[in-house]
Amino acid sequence: MSLLFLLVAWSATVLSCALLCRAALAAARALPPAPEAAGDIAPDPAAADRHASGLTLYEMAYLSGGPHRLADVVLVLMAQKRRLLLADTGWATVVDPVGTDAVERAALTAIGPEGQRHIPAVRDALVGDAAVRRVADRLETQGLAQPAAVRPGIGGAVRLVKGSALVTLLSAVATYWTAAPGADSGQVLIWFTVPQILTLGLWAVARFELHPYSDWATVAGERRLPATTGSRDAPDAPGTPPGSLITLALRGPTALTDPSLRAALHSSGA
């Protein structure tokens, strides 16, 4: 029985470590060698207002939560401008059918000619829209966003490594408790320390070299996000009121202070 537990521990360790190394190598190959200077990138005509970090609101949303977060931000932005009405039942209704930029126009197109649509359907339509893809492509070109080819490899692989460390520990405990009375299980337990050292060591290396394990932002992208140092729980930037659009972009719908807007996004599956 002890050999079976040992086999399980080693299998989980080898598989998870191999997947993490593969994901890290794929990310290194897919990312550009160095972020291009902001001046070398074609300006976004729809991004007149940029944060001090040099990122637009849409770019911050994408780097923090991907295209779904960007969709939530543009819907709330248009609701605050009184162009949309977001009901707490999860429906979006057009009030003013005029978009001021490509993403707002894409949101209106996603809602459709009837002027009303369920928010999850609007969000899904926006995710595949060309305006949102242009935001993603621009960030990938600058080396700030993870290429689609490597998402969400590193984060998932790190979770597997942590899981295999737990599997190894549980396997060692099970081996100890199932050992025959009077049997010396010390020698067998020593073999469990090797996979445990491998998983914990690789986890520590990943924490130092690859953290944060974002599915959307690269390390350079995380550093550009305002009021964060790799943590989604960082305080707001100076002068940024709690529940603002920047806070929504960085942390998601739970950061909204308006209960009706928060209910609209949560009731729609956000």
Side-chain angles (χ1 to χ4, degrees), residues 145-268:
Q146 297 277 8
V150 302
R151 294 192 310 257
I154 292 179
V158 170
R159 287 188 288 271
L160 284 177
V161 169
K162 292 192 290 186
S164 67
L166 179 60
V167 167
T168 300
L169 178 61
L170 294 177
S171 297
V173 172
T175 298
Y176 178 80
W177 284 107
T178 57
D184 183 12
S185 57
Q187 284 293 107
V188 178
L189 291 177
I190 291 176
W191 285 98
F192 285 97
T193 62
V194 179
Q196 191 75 335
I197 290 173
L198 285 175
T199 52
L200 294 179
L202 191 59
W203 183 11
V205 171
R207 176 79 183 182
F208 181 77
E209 296 288 344
L210 304 175
H211 187 77
Y213 320 119
S214 171
D215 291 341
W216 304 105
T218 63
V219 174
E222 287 278 350
R223 290 172 179 169
R224 290 281 295 275
L225 289 173
T228 65
T229 54
S231 171
R232 292 289 185 273
D233 299 323
D236 292 328
T240 302
S244 71
L245 286 170
I246 291 179
T247 310
L248 168 64
L250 295 176
R251 302 180 187 172
T254 56
L256 289 170
T257 56
D258 187 327
S260 60
L261 289 177
R262 189 168 60 248
L265 295 181
H266 278 296
S267 65
S268 64

